[in-house]
Structure formats: structure tokens, C-alpha cells
Amino acid sequence: MSESRLRVNRLQLATILGCLPEERTAPRPVLVDLAVKTDIARAAATDDIADALDLRRLHDIATAAARTNPRLIETLATTIATRILALPGVQSVTVHVEKPASLPHTQSTSIELTLP
């Protein structure tokens, strides 16, 4: 049996993320990558969307989590991962959240979380 991961790459979301007062004033972009381990055999055999994991649902979960405006990047990643892991057919999920220009002299900071 082969292993499959569906991916959503570089999803750009706007959120108020950070602990410093100046970070809490306006939404800023974050980038989210999702890798979802799931069995694609049935969907591949039937070629029917009803048998596939809905990629739009993954998008919507990440977008809704960003709208909660968490303080910590860890909270955002965990919220997204927990909600996706609860979907039928999801065996595991890896969430990578990147916060551009969050520290001086850096391109970005990020976290990557895999559940379970």
C-alpha cells in the first residue's frame, strides 16, 4: 500500500498574530502549508469527488483559524492541525505556518507541527 499526502501550498492568510502591542493593531500576512496523509485509493478508483478529501475544506479550516487572531504562531498551527485531523479519512496532518518579516534581519519565522 502506498502512502499519500494531499498538499495545500503557500496559502496566504491575513491575521493579527503576535504578542507585541504593535503586532496587534492590524492584520498581516502569514503563509500556511498543509500536508494531509489520507488514503486516496477509493477516490483514484472512482474518480468521484465524493470519495476525495475536499481541499476547499482544508482551506476553509485554515482561514477560519486565522480569523481568530491568536497571539501565538503555535496556537494558530495547533488549531489548524487539530481541526483538520478531526476530518473523516485524515490519518495525520503537518501544518507549517510562516510569519514573514517577524524579526529584524530575518525573512521569516515559522513553526511546523505534525499530528498525531
Side-chain angles (χ1 to χ4, degrees):
M1 179 197 287
S2 64
E3 184 175 298
S4 303
R5 293 193 191 279
L6 292 174
R7 296 185 184 273
V8 175
N9 301 307
R10 310 303 284 174
L11 173 59
Q12 186 170 336
L13 303 172
T15 187
I16 297 175
L17 183 66
C19 295
L20 301 175
E22 59 270 20
E23 294 178 304
R24 306 293 305 163
T25 59
R28 295 183 358 175
V30 295
L31 301 170
V32 177
D33 296 319
L34 307 171
V36 181
K37 183 179 175 187
T38 187
D39 184 355
I40 65 164
R42 183 176 174 103
T46 65
D47 197 30
D48 187 339
I49 189 68
D51 295 327
L53 182 61
D54 185 351
L55 294 173
R56 181 157 311 274
R57 181 79 176 122
L58 303 179
H59 170 278
D60 292 349
I61 286 170
T63 301
R67 286 189 186 127
T68 67
N69 298 322
R71 292 174 43 121
L72 300 177
I73 195 170
E74 294 89 342
T75 304
L76 180 57
T78 301
T79 300
I80 294 169
T82 301
R83 291 178 182 174
I84 290 174
L85 191 59
L87 295 175
V90 173
Q91 299 166 4
S92 70
V93 59
T94 299
V95 177
H96 180 262
V97 178
E98 182 177 344
K99 186 177 172 186
S102 58
L103 291 174
H105 312 293
T106 63
Q107 184 175 13
S108 65
T109 57
S110 65
I111 187 169
E112 184 170 289
L113 169 69
T114 300
L115 295 179

